Amino acid sequence: MPEAPRSGQPAPKGPNWEQADWTPPEEEKLIQQELSNLKAAVSAPTTTLKMMKECMVRLIYCEMLGYDASFGYIHAIKLAQQGNLLEKRVGYLAVSLFLHESHELLLLLVNTVVKDLQSTNLVEVCMALTIVSQIFPQEMIPAVLPLIEDKLQHSKEIIRRKAVLALYKFHLIAPNQVQHIHIKFQKALCDRDVGVMAASLHIYHRMIKENSSGYKDLTGSFVTILKQVVGGKLPVDFNYHSVPAPWLQIQLLRILRLLGKDDQRTSELMYDVLDESLRRAELNHNVTYAILFECVHTVYSVYPKSELLEKAAKCIGKFVLSPKINLKYLGLKALTYVIQQDPTLALQHQMTIIECLDHPDPIIKRETLELLYRITNAQNITVIVQKMLEYLHQSKEEYIIVNLVGKIAELAEKYPFVLVLNTVDTYAPDNAWFIQTMNAVFSVGGDVMNPDIPNNFLRLLAEGFDDETEDQQLRLYAVQSYLTLLDVENVFYPQRFLQVMSWVLGEYSYLLDKETPGEVITKLYKLLMNDSISSETKAWLIAAVTKLTPQAHSSNIVERLIQEFTVSLDTCLRQHAFELKHLHENAELMKSLLPVNKSCEDMVVDASLSFLDSHVAEELSQGAAPYKPHHQRQEEKLSQEKVLNFEPYGLSFSSSGFTGRQSPAGISLGSDISGNSAEIGLKETSSLKLEGIQKLWGKEGYLPKKESKTGDETEAPPVSQESIIENVDPTISKKDPSQVLAQSKEEKEKQLLASSLFVGLGSESTVNLLGKADTISHKFRRKSKVKEAISGEKTNAHNMTRSSFSSPTNVTYEEDYYLDNLRDRRDKELEKFALSAELLGSESLAEPPLVEKLSECRRPAPSLFADDMEVFHPPRSTSASLAGESSLASLLEETTEHMHSDLTEVCNTETMSLSSYKIWKDDCLLMVWLVSNKSGSELEGVNLEIAPAENFKITEQPGCCLPIIEAENTKNFQYSVQMEKPFTEGNLSGFINYQMMNTHAVQLEFSVNLSLLDFIRPLKISTEDFGKLWLSFANDVKQNVKMSESQAALPSALKTLQQKLRLHVVDIIGSEGLLACQLLPSIPCLLHFRVHGDVLALWFRSSCSTLPDYLLYQCQKVMEGS
Amino acid sequence: MKGRSEEPWPGGSMRFMLLFSRQGKLRLQKWYLATSDKERKKMVRELMQVVLARKPKMCSFLEWRDLKVVYKRYASLYFCCAIEGQDNELITLELIHRYVELLDKYFGSVCELDIIFNFEKAYFILDEFLMGGDVQDTSKKSVLKAIEQADLLQEEDESPRSVLEEMGLA
């Protein structure tokens, strides 16, 4: 081995690696040489473990320099396995540096770790615990868990400490697996050794972060520990620069912060110690400031106490005014945390903030901007945005640009709203400001910014604000500013910006007086001819030109454009050009298709392309294969792969001659039947090899016999048999037509066979669903066409073309539109529902008619009401305001109108009881809390607050805010809850305060469980709409669910789904059902299911990627559970 | 302006630690979050550039990608830790200092060469001090005790295994 730097040796002879002017090529040569030597060394049988240790160290070094040493990974594991202690230590180190958590080689280490954990040698145990806490495969945790648990009782504190940390690691990667040992963590918290106790705090911090309410009882212990630490009761060993255990202090402060948040009672327990911490930290050392910072953060996070806040604010002042730049930075950071609670602090330090804004260190500047961003209001917006833009222009790092651009756009879009209202205000930025700011955002943010920004901007512009003339001015200004920008020579704008421009110009150029659309078209045409513009942008540009063409007087340019792009190599552009060409030929049609300023009008999109029906029917009747969407073909292919191939190998149905004659659809059909395309390839090659040999014997035996068997199955005439035999000889590639016919017949039958054999495997249900749903929707379509004959096909066609011209990236919007339309049309379709309900009945589903079912669901209502009536009606003499009464009345209406849950008590005291129930309204979940005063005297200061929860948007309903409840009376608090992102179960917690006459205030906490199902509503759509939606959704999930015996029939399964999951039954076709629902506010989810024996094949589709999974889970629960 | 997300990630408070020289040579790297090899190299290269370009009087903290970077220069070596945006930068700075103190104590006025030639020792000390990115022990004495006890075995290297096992650490 050549010389290399090594431990314990003098500096190496030969080339010095560490020389600063070392040139890369030489280094590379040297290391490559070293690596090849090492490669030989590690695999040589003569290499001892001691030498191996040496090799490992060198390999680590090489990897650090950026070279690949993966050949040594396995040897690192071996070294950890076989070496003595020192070698083992290096082996473990190498493993921890080389491998990552999911590396497959790591599994080989598990045995070694298990062995070492059982060792009597402390060093070995320590090593094993160290590696476990660094990298350990999650699925192997059970193998070592009991061993590590045992170590919690070990006599040596170092072992106990490491065991706790290893368990902490497990808690992070697989919390479920360590749940049972929570009680042991408590023991670790009380350990006599400070190190062990400190280690356990990591776990507690994490657990409290996940669920703070579960650990409130430990607050006292944490406070005591912190008191002891602050009071200097720990061994001096733990001091750091004469500050007692700073890491421990910080960890405790973080824990207290989580516990005391929004909880007055818990917070009160910690005020003393926080005060003490603020006071103790007098030493002028970084570490005391670190603790102070944490302490200030905690003081501001827990339930406020003015005295403490004052002190904390003073502390922040110390930071902000410090000449030390690090402290100043933290001061700014602290300000950003607290500024929303205490805006006066910003005023106090305004001069410092202004100074920091021009600080030479960009990080200080940036933190200052972050601070300003949080105190933005209608008055200071222009200045702050100006500052942000300045910083933006200097930034080069993509991350900063993306972030800053997002914030500027957010502010800009937030404030025109406010300011349009009070334009009298001299500070108010005008529309020009908004457009100019956005121009800056687009030109700097360009193609890295979040795509939502241009989309939002365009939507804002199109939808407008409250005042139509203001809106028009805004649009006009945008158009003018873009035209000016486009006039500047030799400036390149980002593609996204150009797209925004072209959309705006296309839509709103009509607002211009002087500049005729023709001139705008000329400008757009110039851009189109520019090579630096992407074809996506060009599509936007052509769309804009198309919109402008009907307004233009002369069409020379347009014609030139058509000429240019109808021969474009880009198919998309060519398509657009052709569309433009055809529209251009019919000026009247074009004008009606492209009306001015109608971008926000809802349009009905005929996504099913129903106007092609007759064409499709014609083709089908002529024997064309039915169309299958791409994903379905894909799925079929996949499922076919798993299926055993029953065909004899020698028989090649799919020789090139055969496939060559089919239409494209036919090819996919053929390949689906005989296996995937790869298999076809295989067959072809194998038959090629046999060329010229008469094929009598195949792998399955004598061939003619086999084939006649196939013949029998297919009941094909003898002719085809012969032809198949002929076909065995691949030299004969021509076939007579009858054979093709026979084959296709055979295929059809096979398809049938397959569909009955592999039911529920996924692909098959596709065939049925789409096949049948199609025919059904045809029927419906005919009907609806008759009905809506007036609106007729014209509008359909109109909308079709129109949609193809609307901006290419707005697909999502269209989907939304679509949904809105569906909802609008719901009423009309109610008639149809009555019809379909009848249909359902006639199909003897043994299912109660819709109306009856609904009333069934509401059955608890009367009893609840009987209770409520008394409680709800306050005596007229009470001071209940009008609003309160009306809300009561409306509540009553609501309860009768909507389904609701039973009344359950969530908490109570002697004097008061709090109950709640859910009302499943159409547009939200309404949570109602009833506070009833059980005592004989008044309750005062009644206040109910719901803590903001991560996944929910909670809005208090007006009209229930009287803080006094009369004796023996009840008051209700209503909150409407919306779900922000799908989840299975969530928790809504809050507290209620009240005060009895002349006594102290009482605060009670409570919480209510919410399930996904609380936010699911039936989506009432027709089969036709179902089909359209189904095709437009990209996210799907399939699963076979076993049903419990009681459910194992279609009607009962249907009933369960309908009642328990609130799905709407769209249609039932044979043993298949179509159901639809929506997650509030408007995320649709469709379900197709099919019953087969006791298996329910479920197939969900939605526009939301996670919703199907969650719904599936709920489905499984109800189907298996009941 | 920064990723102050509350998203939990599986690991301690630190994402990674780097030691590199003024010349931009990596001396030590410890990753507490699984990162692909390619990404690591890219991040190291980028971060070194950013840190080396900083002027001496500037703040020791940096916003870099979605992370906060805390760095400090000791002689020719830069110590550099990446943490989450909402973490405490100042205590991380002290953590670096404590690590340097430990190295100093162990090597006896440590210099860059000590770390080059004994980098595995530097790793051992780091592992004893930080476990999975969290401070394991704030007591300097016990960290060094653990390292020294493991090192003691070096002298006994040649002695048979059973004796070693007998000895343990007791």
Side-chain angles (χ1 to χ4, degrees):
Chain A
M1 260 181 276
E3 289 291 338
R6 272 306 302 123
S7 53
Q9 295 168 6
K13 297 162 208 151
N16 182 357
W17 285 23
E18 307 315 322
Q19 233 166 280
D21 56 355
W22 194 256
T23 50
E26 282 171 77
E27 183 195 270
E28 173 149 4
K29 222 171 107 191
L30 194 87
I31 306 256
Q32 292 298 3
Q33 179 61 38
E34 172 75 15
L35 275 172
S36 63
N37 287 341
L38 283 170
K39 202 168 188 170
V42 290
S43 44
T46 50
T47 309
T48 62
L49 286 171
K50 202 178 168 192
M51 284 153 77
M52 191 67 94
K53 182 183 130 210
E54 181 73 20
C55 292
M56 266 323 129
V57 175
R58 286 170 186 240
L59 282 176
I60 296 175
Y61 201 92
C62 291
E63 275 240 324
M64 187 159 67
L65 291 174
Y67 295 86
D68 177 44
S70 52
F71 63 86
Y73 293 176
I74 184 74
H75 297 284
I77 290 187
K78 272 201 224 156
L79 193 64
Q81 220 161 40
Q82 298 162 355
N84 65 24
L85 276 174
L86 283 170
E87 291 147 10
K88 194 184 264 296
R89 185 154 78 141
V90 172
Y92 271 134
L93 175 69
V95 168
S96 78
L97 292 172
F98 286 155
L99 305 185
H100 56 83
E101 226 136 46
S102 46
H103 201 288
E104 51 195 355
L105 283 180
L106 214 51
L107 291 176
L108 298 176
L109 196 72
V110 174
N111 258 334
T112 314
V113 170
V114 170
K115 209 180 85 213
D116 286 340
L117 281 175
Q118 289 164 316
S119 163
T120 51
N121 187 315
L122 285 184
V123 178
E124 276 184 346
V125 179
C126 279
M127 284 183 212
L129 286 171
T130 305
I131 194 83
V132 161
S133 66
Q134 286 184 356
I135 42 168
F136 200 73
Q138 194 185 332
E139 63 274 18
M140 296 312 286
I141 289 177
V144 294
L145 190 58
L147 291 171
I148 295 179
E149 270 183 75
D150 283 348
K151 298 286 178 262
L152 290 175
Q153 273 97 44
H154 203 277
S155 60
K156 283 282 168 201
E157 62 271 4
I158 185 171
I159 302 287
R160 292 203 301 276
R161 191 179 72 217
K162 286 185 191 241
V164 169
L165 283 168
L167 291 175
Y168 167 55
K169 170 77 175 182
F170 289 168
H171 180 80
L172 289 175
I173 58 176
N176 295 334
Q177 304 207 33
V178 290
Q179 231 152 25
H180 62 286
I181 36 182
H182 279 190
I183 191 80
K184 290 188 180 163
F185 294 152
Q186 207 150 356
K187 231 176 127 194
L189 182 65
C190 306
D191 199 285
R192 60 186 183 281
D193 181 72
V194 180
V196 182
M197 182 269 291
S200 76
L201 290 182
H202 290 301
I203 300 182
Y204 276 105
H205 182 245
R206 169 58 55 157
M207 292 194 297
I208 291 170
K209 203 168 179 180
E210 283 155 8
N211 169 25
S212 67
S213 56
Y215 298 90
K216 299 270 185 190
D217 53 329
L218 286 176
T219 314
S221 317
F222 293 128
V223 168
T224 316
I225 297 173
L226 184 56
K227 259 187 195 147
Q228 285 173 356
V229 178
V230 174
K233 301 265 165 42
L234 292 194
V236 202
D237 277 355
F238 288 90
N239 279 10
Y240 173 83
H241 294 263
S242 54
V243 175
W247 279 273
L248 188 54
Q249 285 196 45
I250 285 178
Q251 191 72 341
L252 283 165
L253 286 168
R254 284 178 180 161
I255 289 175
L256 291 183
R257 177 153 79 226
L258 294 171
L259 286 171
K261 196 161 192 245
D262 304 322
D263 183 344
Q264 189 178 1
R265 247 188 325 176
T266 312
S267 297
E268 275 162 5
L269 294 174
M270 54 186 82
Y271 288 152
D272 274 352
V273 76
L274 291 178
D275 192 42
E276 176 93 5
S277 288
L278 284 178
R279 230 162 3 90
R280 287 263 174 180
E282 286 152 351
L283 254 165
N284 194 14
H285 187 274
N286 267 349
V287 76
T288 49
Y289 282 109
I291 297 171
L292 262 186
F293 176 78
E294 212 64 45
C295 197
V296 166
H297 194 4
T298 303
V299 167
Y300 270 95
S301 303
V302 300
Y303 193 90
K305 187 188 181 195
S306 55
E307 200 184 314
L308 276 179
L309 288 179
E310 231 169 78
K311 284 184 187 169
K314 237 180 243 165
C315 271
I316 293 181
K318 251 194 246 176
F319 277 98
V320 174
L321 297 174
S322 166
K324 285 187 187 164
I325 187 163
N326 288 346
L327 297 185
K328 201 182 267 304
Y329 175 82
L330 276 195
L332 292 170
K333 188 175 166 183
L335 275 180
T336 61
Y337 281 136
V338 305
I339 206 80
Q340 269 141 346
Q341 282 181 49
D342 192 358
T344 52
L345 267 181
L347 290 178
Q348 266 177 44
H349 299 295
Q350 51 181 322
M351 282 329 289
T352 323
I353 294 174
I354 300 285
E355 272 168 35
C356 289
L357 209 48
D358 289 320
H359 200 279
D361 191 347
I363 182 99
I364 298 281
K365 244 180 175 170
R366 196 157 158 211
E367 194 61 39
T368 316
L369 289 177
E370 173 75 27
L371 175 63
L372 293 177
Y373 165 74
R374 286 167 195 238
I375 55 166
T376 313
N377 57 36
Q379 275 79 46
N380 61 18
I381 170 92
T382 40
V383 190
I384 290 177
V385 167
Q386 179 60 34
K387 288 288 173 194
M388 287 169 115
L389 282 174
E390 275 168 24
Y391 189 87
L392 185 63
H393 286 301
Q394 292 160 9
S395 311
K396 282 179 205 81
E397 204 201 310
E398 188 178 312
Y399 210 91
I400 298 178
I401 295 177
V402 172
N403 198 310
L404 210 51
V405 151
K407 284 192 169 154
I408 296 172
E410 184 197 322
L411 289 178
E413 285 171 9
K414 194 160 131 199
Y415 282 102
F417 234 95
V418 179
L419 290 170
V420 170
L421 295 174
N422 58 349
T423 36
V424 210
D425 194 335
T426 43
Y427 290 106
D430 50 9
N431 290 332
W433 175 81
F434 176 52
I435 299 292
Q436 275 163 1
T437 306
M438 290 312 285
N439 283 354
V441 163
F442 291 139
S443 29
V444 181
D447 297 320
V448 293
M449 69 190 166
N450 186 337
D452 282 349
I453 297 174
N455 287 349
N456 281 344
F457 171 72
L458 292 182
R459 206 195 52 220
L460 219 62
L461 206 60
E463 288 173 356
F465 306 105
D466 294 337
D467 185 345
E468 185 59 27
T469 50
E470 288 280 350
D471 292 343
Q472 294 297 37
Q473 268 175 22
L474 189 67
R475 291 168 192 153
L476 178 62
Y477 186 84
V479 169
Q480 283 165 341
S481 89
Y482 296 156
L483 287 175
T484 326
L485 285 177
L486 288 181
D487 275 340
V488 185
E489 295 281 332
N490 292 325
V491 180
F492 297 100
Y493 299 106
Q495 303 297 324
R496 292 259 188 76
F497 193 16
L498 289 172
Q499 290 165 11
V500 167
M501 288 187 195
S502 45
W503 191 87
V504 173
L505 290 177
E507 286 293 329
Y508 299 116
S509 285
Y510 76 94
L511 295 168
L512 291 169
D513 307 327
K514 48 181 200 287
E515 210 132 5
T516 65
E519 282 169 60
V520 179
I521 291 181
T522 316
K523 280 189 181 134
L524 294 174
Y525 178 73
K526 224 171 91 193
L527 279 176
L528 268 171
M529 289 295 123
N530 193 331
D531 287 335
S532 64
I533 286 173
S534 75
S535 54
E536 190 197 346
T537 310
K538 284 187 178 169
W540 285 73
L541 286 164
I542 295 188
V545 171
T546 311
K547 287 178 207 165
L548 291 175
T549 306
Q551 300 162 29
H553 301 302
S554 97
S555 51
N556 287 339
I557 300 270
V558 177
E559 269 151 24
R560 235 160 67 203
L561 186 146
I562 292 171
Q563 233 170 27
E564 199 89 36
F565 283 93
T566 42
V567 293
S568 165
L569 286 179
D570 188 305
T571 35
C572 177
L573 291 181
R574 206 161 63 219
Q575 161 94 20
H576 283 301
F578 271 111
E579 281 166 2
L580 175 57
K581 184 178 171 207
H582 289 293
L583 284 174
H584 189 53
E585 283 160 7
N586 188 346
E588 276 314 301
L589 177 66
M590 191 167 198
K591 276 202 173 125
S592 69
L593 275 182
L594 302 165
V596 161
N597 193 21
K598 290 282 191 290
S599 64
C600 284
E601 307 282 298
D602 284 350
M603 51 181 115
V604 186
V605 181
D606 184 5
S608 68
L609 307 182
S610 58
F611 62 91
L612 286 173
D613 282 354
S614 60
H615 177 69
V616 171
E618 196 179 311
E619 290 294 311
L620 282 173
S621 70
Q622 285 179 6
Y627 173 72
K628 291 178 190 172
H630 179 70
H631 64 91
Q632 189 188 346
R633 294 199 297 268
Q634 219 55 17
E635 279 158 9
E636 276 171 23
K637 238 182 194 172
L638 281 174
S639 68
Q640 288 287 338
E641 269 167 27
K642 293 172 202 146
V643 175
L644 279 177
N645 187 4
F646 292 111
E647 279 174 53
Y649 282 86
L651 274 179
S652 172
F653 286 111
S654 45
S655 68
S656 51
F658 162 51
T659 43
R661 286 189 195 181
Q662 298 286 314
S663 69
I667 290 177
S668 73
L669 206 75
S671 63
D672 282 334
I673 295 310
S674 57
N676 62 26
S677 52
E679 262 173 79
I680 297 171
L682 252 171
K683 277 175 206 151
E684 276 173 356
T685 50
S686 70
S687 54
L688 267 175
K689 277 184 213 152
L690 296 170
E691 197 166 7
I693 301 166
Q694 197 191 1
K695 179 102 190 232
L696 286 173
W697 294 88
K699 282 187 184 172
E700 314 286 300
Y702 187 56
L703 281 172
K705 199 178 116 208
K706 279 274 166 193
E707 267 126 36
S708 67
K709 225 171 153 187
T710 343
D712 287 347
E713 264 173 29
T714 56
E715 295 171 41
V719 192
S720 80
Q721 252 187 56
E722 278 166 34
S723 66
I724 293 171
I725 297 166
E726 269 173 47
N727 189 25
V728 167
D729 186 349
T731 48
I732 301 170
S733 56
K734 289 175 198 165
K735 292 168 208 158
D736 59 285
S738 69
Q739 186 212 334
V740 176
L741 205 84
Q743 272 180 350
S744 67
K745 202 173 165 191
E746 185 184 34
E747 274 154 17
K748 266 180 201 156
E749 270 171 50
K750 279 191 180 176
Q751 200 172 13
L752 259 172
L753 181 72
S755 71
S756 53
L757 267 180
F758 308 112
V759 61
L761 285 179
S763 69
E764 181 277 330
S765 57
T766 331
V767 179
N768 277 309
L769 173 82
L770 293 180
K772 288 189 185 171
D774 249 11
T775 55
I776 293 299
S777 63
H778 275 295
K779 269 189 254 164
F780 270 100
R781 214 171 286 148
R782 298 277 175 274
K783 264 189 209 165
S784 61
K785 258 181 201 157
V786 180
K787 268 190 187 169
E788 297 163 27
I790 314 150
S791 50
E793 303 216 23
K794 215 173 181 180
T795 44
N796 269 351
H798 166 163
N799 289 325
M800 275 306 302
T801 18
R802 174 92 186 146
S803 74
S804 74
F805 282 124
S806 65
S807 36
T809 56
N810 279 359
V811 186
T812 44
Y813 291 141
E814 277 170 26
E815 210 175 284
D816 286 344
Y817 271 135
Y818 192 152
L819 217 66
D820 288 340
N821 282 335
L822 286 184
R823 246 179 261 120
D824 292 341
R825 276 157 49 187
R826 207 190 273 167
D827 297 18
K828 268 191 233 160
E829 267 150 6
L830 271 172
E831 296 166 42
K832 271 191 226 163
F833 284 124
L835 191 77
S836 69
E838 272 174 37
L839 263 171
L840 297 185
S842 69
E843 281 182 32
S844 72
L845 275 172
E847 179 202 25
L850 228 67
V851 188
E852 208 177 292
K853 254 181 314 188
L854 274 175
S855 63
E856 222 177 58
C857 301
R858 282 186 201 150
R859 205 182 289 149
S863 63
L864 177 75
F865 258 96
D867 295 347
D868 284 352
M869 286 305 188
E870 296 173 353
V871 242
F872 268 152
H873 281 297
R876 291 285 154 192
S877 57
T878 60
S879 54
S881 71
L882 254 167
E885 268 177 54
S886 71
S887 88
L888 280 183
S890 71
L891 177 71
L892 285 174
E893 266 168 37
E894 269 155 13
T895 32
T896 45
E897 212 175 292
H898 303 283
M899 303 210 299
H900 57 81
S901 70
D902 290 330
L903 191 70
T904 44
E905 188 163 84
V906 287
C907 69
N908 66 349
T909 60
E910 280 174 19
T911 50
M912 187 235 36
S913 123
L914 180 68
S915 335
S916 80
Y917 65 96
K918 303 171 181 170
I919 302 178
W920 295 295
K921 288 181 66 169
D922 284 343
D923 55 344
C924 69
L925 172 71
L926 191 66
M927 289 296 309
V928 181
W929 277 277
L930 297 172
V931 188
S932 40
N933 183 354
K934 295 190 284 190
S935 72
S937 51
E938 249 178 25
L939 286 184
E940 287 172 352
V942 181
N943 176 34
L944 183 125
E945 256 176 59
I946 305 299
E950 203 180 332
N951 290 322
F952 303 113
K953 202 175 92 200
I954 304 154
T955 354
E956 190 175 349
Q957 298 290 98
C960 45
C961 47
L962 258 192
I964 296 168
I965 302 181
E966 310 266 312
E968 311 272 333
N969 229 323
T970 296
K971 191 163 285 286
N972 74 73
F973 292 86
Q974 299 181 41
Y975 286 84
S976 76
V977 185
Q978 294 277 18
M979 185 181 267
E980 296 202 306
K981 67 174 193 246
F983 68 100
T984 33
E985 299 227 312
N987 212 329
L988 209 59
S989 58
F991 59 86
I992 178 159
N993 292 323
Y994 65 90
Q995 196 166 8
M996 288 294 290
M997 285 252 251
N998 309 325
T999 57
H1000 61 285
V1002 182
Q1003 175 167 333
L1004 288 171
E1005 283 166 43
F1006 59 86
S1007 73
V1008 186
N1009 267 326
L1010 295 182
S1011 137
L1012 176 79
L1013 292 182
D1014 288 328
F1015 299 93
I1016 294 290
R1017 299 287 176 274
L1019 179 66
K1020 296 183 176 159
I1021 54 173
S1022 67
T1023 313
E1024 187 185 2
D1025 292 332
F1026 185 96
K1028 288 182 200 162
L1029 276 179
W1030 184 266
L1031 291 177
S1032 66
F1033 290 159
N1035 306 299
D1036 65 355
V1037 169
K1038 284 185 207 170
Q1039 180 88 38
N1040 290 343
V1041 176
K1042 239 180 125 103
M1043 293 181 281
S1044 59
E1045 273 173 30
S1046 60
Q1047 309 236 353
L1050 182 93
S1052 58
L1054 198 67
K1055 201 168 157 190
T1056 314
L1057 288 175
Q1058 193 175 23
Q1059 291 185 354
K1060 299 219 167 133
L1061 299 185
R1062 296 193 195 109
L1063 304 180
H1064 167 70
V1065 180
V1066 178
D1067 206 345
I1068 294 159
I1069 307 150
S1071 60
E1072 289 164 69
L1074 307 176
L1075 298 129
C1077 68
Q1078 57 175 333
L1079 175 66
L1080 293 177
S1082 64
I1083 306 171
C1085 186
L1086 304 180
L1087 165 63
H1088 164 262
F1089 79 91
R1090 173 198 237 332
V1091 179
H1092 188 77
D1094 61 346
V1095 175
L1096 189 64
L1098 296 167
W1099 187 2
F1100 290 93
R1101 276 206 180 173
S1102 170
S1103 55
C1104 165
S1105 58
T1106 48
L1107 184 57
D1109 284 317
Y1110 287 117
L1111 266 179
L1112 173 66
Y1113 170 73
Q1114 300 286 358
C1115 255
Q1116 276 172 322
K1117 250 177 43 183
V1118 300
M1119 295 319 286
E1120 284 162 359
S1122 54
Chain B
M1 231 161 288
K2 65 190 49 177
R4 261 183 203 154
S5 68
E6 295 293 322
E7 277 290 299
W9 63 281
S13 58
M14 199 182 292
R15 295 292 192 86
F16 59 82
M17 188 179 206
L18 301 178
L19 261 70
F20 51 86
S21 71
R22 220 165 27 157
Q23 286 82 28
K25 291 268 173 206
L26 193 59
R27 294 297 175 220
L28 190 134
Q29 57 173 341
K30 187 83 193 179
W31 297 78
Y32 295 103
L33 188 70
T35 319
S36 76
D37 218 41
K38 208 176 140 200
E39 183 65 14
R40 280 185 189 190
K41 280 181 195 161
K42 196 171 159 232
M43 286 169 90
V44 169
R45 207 172 42 236
E46 251 181 64
L47 189 59
M48 276 205 278
Q49 262 182 12
V50 175
V51 171
L52 289 173
R54 302 275 294 172
K55 294 187 188 84
K57 288 282 169 201
M58 282 183 163
C59 192
S60 303
F61 318 132
L62 265 183
E63 265 161 45
W64 181 73
R65 299 198 179 186
D66 57 338
L67 295 173
K68 190 64 75 64
V69 171
V70 177
Y71 71 94
K72 190 159 183 187
R73 189 178 144 185
Y74 289 87
S76 57
L77 264 191
Y78 282 89
F79 288 70
C80 189
C81 292
I83 55 172
E84 302 257 306
Q86 72 265 25
D87 277 338
N88 190 327
E89 292 89 354
L90 216 47
I91 198 70
T92 310
L93 205 56
E94 292 311 297
L95 184 145
I96 292 177
H97 191 71
R98 165 52 65 98
Y99 181 46
V100 174
E101 280 180 1
L102 287 170
L103 290 173
D104 200 56
K105 186 104 181 190
Y106 181 82
F107 288 110
S109 76
V110 66
C111 67
E112 190 180 343
L113 281 181
D114 285 325
I115 293 172
I116 293 168
F117 293 136
N118 297 289
F119 66 90
E120 80 272 26
K121 293 280 165 48
Y123 276 119
F124 292 143
I125 295 174
L126 186 63
D127 283 349
E128 201 58 45
F129 176 46
L130 290 178
M131 213 157 159
D134 282 304
V135 176
Q136 203 186 139
D137 200 325
T138 51
S139 151
K140 184 151 63 175
K141 209 168 81 184
S142 66
V143 174
L144 289 175
K145 203 171 100 191
I147 296 291
E148 273 155 17
Q149 272 164 339
D151 279 351
L152 264 185
L153 304 164
Q154 190 137 35
E155 275 93 67
E156 317 284 333
D157 208 5
E158 306 304 325
S159 60
R161 186 87 186 275
S162 57
V163 178
L164 280 176
E165 274 175 0
E166 284 291 315
M167 196 182 79
L169 273 181

